[in-house]
Amino acid sequence: MADLNLQEIHDLLVSVAQEAGRMMLAATPSYLSSGTKKNSADLVTETDQAVEKMVSTLLLTSYPSFQFIGEETYYPGQKLTEEPTFIVDPIDGTTNFVHAFPAFCISLGFTVNKTPTVGVVYNAYLNELYTAIKGQGAFLVRNGGEKLKLPLKQDPEPLKDLSTCLVGAEWGSDRTGNNFALKCKVFSKLAASKEEGGAMVHSLRSLGSAALNLVSVASGQLDVYWEGGCWAWDVAAGWCILVEAGGIMVGGNPGDWEVEVEGRKYLAVRGAPSGQKQIVEEVWGVVGDGKLIYEN
């Protein structure tokens, strides 16, 4: 990695994210005329594909020897290798995009040796740009203003127990079978009062975007994010930002302290002077004997 100019890669990803943001805003359904004949599914597919094509063209023109994994061009069996790899979700939060709900973004990750090394997440609707380079910290720029170091609190509080936590949780698009049943059980137990055997978390939040959930944990706005079912392109960028902000990423299933970018089951915990390990174990305790099962 010594011969890679990570700052140069970061700067390219930022410029690509900003161009993608312009494309997304131009296509956001609320900005279309009422006479449009395109349905929302067609619109998302068309915009997703157009953004990814722009992104892959710009990135691979600059770095033709690097690998590229994108949501729209992924094929079964494609695997992340140790080679330098761009991992891209052109629109993370497509349901929000369709509804013009302001929580969708482009997620641009860069891995080396399968490790998230540069991350850029850009919510164009709110003009919030999250960035990180491995070993150099994580940052947020709002509306082109000053560069804020993450987490946003300079002295984040210790993590005590789940009853003090705001927890990110997503239903996902597949709402059948074991995984959905386990999610319903875990969400219910997280929310329920201690008298009812629950964790009585402050509340659950569903932003509808894995990347935005992760940067919210990195920022310290969410304490915990438990996830199953998303993909490498959803998490690669946010993962780098999270870790550079002092957070940790482990597996979503109990006991999985080591998790791969392609693991599809994740548990993110914000940076804190103490309590991260205890919170992980408390979440796993809520999951109990259950197990999320997703094909890699």
Side-chain angles (χ1 to χ4, degrees), residues 8-28:
E8 186 178 83
I9 293 167
H10 164 279
D11 294 348
L12 175 62
L13 291 178
V14 168
S15 67
V16 167
Q18 290 169 335
E19 176 58 26
R22 286 188 282 271
M23 292 174 70
M24 279 189 265
L25 289 181
T28 303

Side-chain angles (χ1 to χ4, degrees), residues 36-146:
T36 181
K37 293 180 181 178
K38 289 181 181 176
N39 67 39
S40 59
D42 289 342
L43 177 72
V44 169
T45 301
E46 182 180 298
T47 309
D48 253 335
Q49 291 174 347
V51 171
E52 184 166 315
K53 181 66 176 174
M54 179 276 292
V55 170
S56 62
T57 299
L58 289 176
L59 295 183
L60 295 178
T61 298
S62 297
Y63 297 97
S65 67
F66 290 3
Q67 302 299 306
F68 183 92
I69 297 175
E71 180 184 24
E72 293 302 309
T73 52
Y74 170 80
Y75 54 88
Q78 185 179 19
K79 294 291 184 185
L80 177 64
T81 70
E82 295 189 352
E83 295 298 310
T85 304
F86 294 112
I87 306 182
V88 172
D89 190 346
I91 305 177
D92 188 40
T94 50
T95 300
N96 291 337
F97 175 78
V98 168
H99 289 270
F101 187 84
F104 55 87
C105 63
I106 182 166
S107 173
L108 298 173
F110 177 70
T111 62
V112 181
N113 298 321
K114 298 186 179 182
T115 300
T117 304
V118 181
V120 172
V121 171
Y122 181 48
N123 180 339
Y125 209 116
L126 300 182
N127 197 5
E128 293 182 339
L129 176 69
Y130 297 85
T131 63
I133 299 173
K134 185 175 169 62
Q136 298 184 34
F139 301 91
L140 165 62
V141 175
R142 287 187 176 127
N143 296 312
E146 64 175 309

Side-chain angles (χ1 to χ4, degrees), residues 3-295:
D3 56 343
L4 292 176
N5 186 331
L6 296 180
Q7 186 65 51
E8 186 178 83
I9 293 167
H10 164 279
D11 294 348
L12 175 62
L13 291 178
V14 168
S15 67
V16 167
Q18 290 169 335
E19 176 58 26
R22 286 188 282 271
M23 292 174 70
M24 279 189 265
L25 289 181
T28 303
S30 66
Y31 293 2
L32 298 176
S33 69
S34 58
T36 181
K37 293 180 181 178
K38 289 181 181 176
N39 67 39
S40 59
D42 289 342
L43 177 72
V44 169
T45 301
E46 182 180 298
T47 309
D48 253 335
Q49 291 174 347
V51 171
E52 184 166 315
K53 181 66 176 174
M54 179 276 292
V55 170
S56 62
T57 299
L58 289 176
L59 295 183
L60 295 178
T61 298
S62 297
Y63 297 97
S65 67
F66 290 3
Q67 302 299 306
F68 183 92
I69 297 175
E71 180 184 24
E72 293 302 309
T73 52
Y74 170 80
Y75 54 88
Q78 185 179 19
K79 294 291 184 185
L80 177 64
T81 70
E82 295 189 352
E83 295 298 310
T85 304
F86 294 112
I87 306 182
V88 172
D89 190 346
I91 305 177
D92 188 40
T94 50
T95 300
N96 291 337
F97 175 78
V98 168
H99 289 270
F101 187 84
F104 55 87
C105 63
I106 182 166
S107 173
L108 298 173
F110 177 70
T111 62
V112 181
N113 298 321
K114 298 186 179 182
T115 300
T117 304
V118 181
V120 172
V121 171
Y122 181 48
N123 180 339
Y125 209 116
L126 300 182
N127 197 5
E128 293 182 339
L129 176 69
Y130 297 85
T131 63
I133 299 173
K134 185 175 169 62
Q136 298 184 34
F139 301 91
L140 165 62
V141 175
R142 287 187 176 127
N143 296 312
E146 64 175 309
K147 199 172 185 179
L148 305 171
K149 187 169 174 54
L150 301 180
L152 292 172
K153 284 187 179 178
Q154 292 188 339
D155 298 306
E157 297 95 342
L159 285 159
K160 295 176 182 175
D161 61 44
L162 281 174
S163 70
T164 66
C165 291
L166 191 61
V167 178
E170 296 291 342
W171 296 105
S173 55
D174 181 7
R175 300 181 194 167
T176 60
N178 166 79
N179 292 326
F180 183 63
L182 180 58
K183 284 186 177 184
C184 290
K185 175 194 158 195
V186 170
F187 296 167
S188 178
K189 195 167 180 181
L190 285 170
S193 71
K194 294 195 173 182
E195 290 77 12
E196 296 287 331
M200 189 67 179
V201 299
H202 269 176
S203 195
L204 300 176
R205 291 288 178 268
S206 296
L207 297 183
S209 158
L212 292 179
N213 280 321
L214 285 173
V215 297
S216 296
V217 179
S219 301
Q221 296 162 329
L222 287 176
D223 299 291
V224 176
Y225 170 41
W226 181 69
E227 174 62 87
C230 58
W231 298 84
W233 47 81
D234 298 308
V235 302
W239 187 322
C240 180
I241 295 165
L242 170 73
V243 171
E244 286 304 306
I248 60 170
M249 182 82 100
V250 298
N253 284 330
D256 290 347
W257 287 103
E258 300 293 329
V259 62
E260 296 183 345
V261 174
E262 295 175 297
R264 303 202 63 201
K265 304 166 291 287
Y266 313 95
L267 174 58
V269 179
R270 70 164 171 85
S274 63
Q276 287 177 314
K277 183 173 183 287
Q278 290 83 351
I279 288 290
V280 167
E281 291 174 337
E282 194 177 351
V283 173
W284 284 346
V286 172
V287 178
D289 296 330
K291 192 171 187 180
L292 293 166
I293 300 170
Y294 292 95
E295 296 287 333

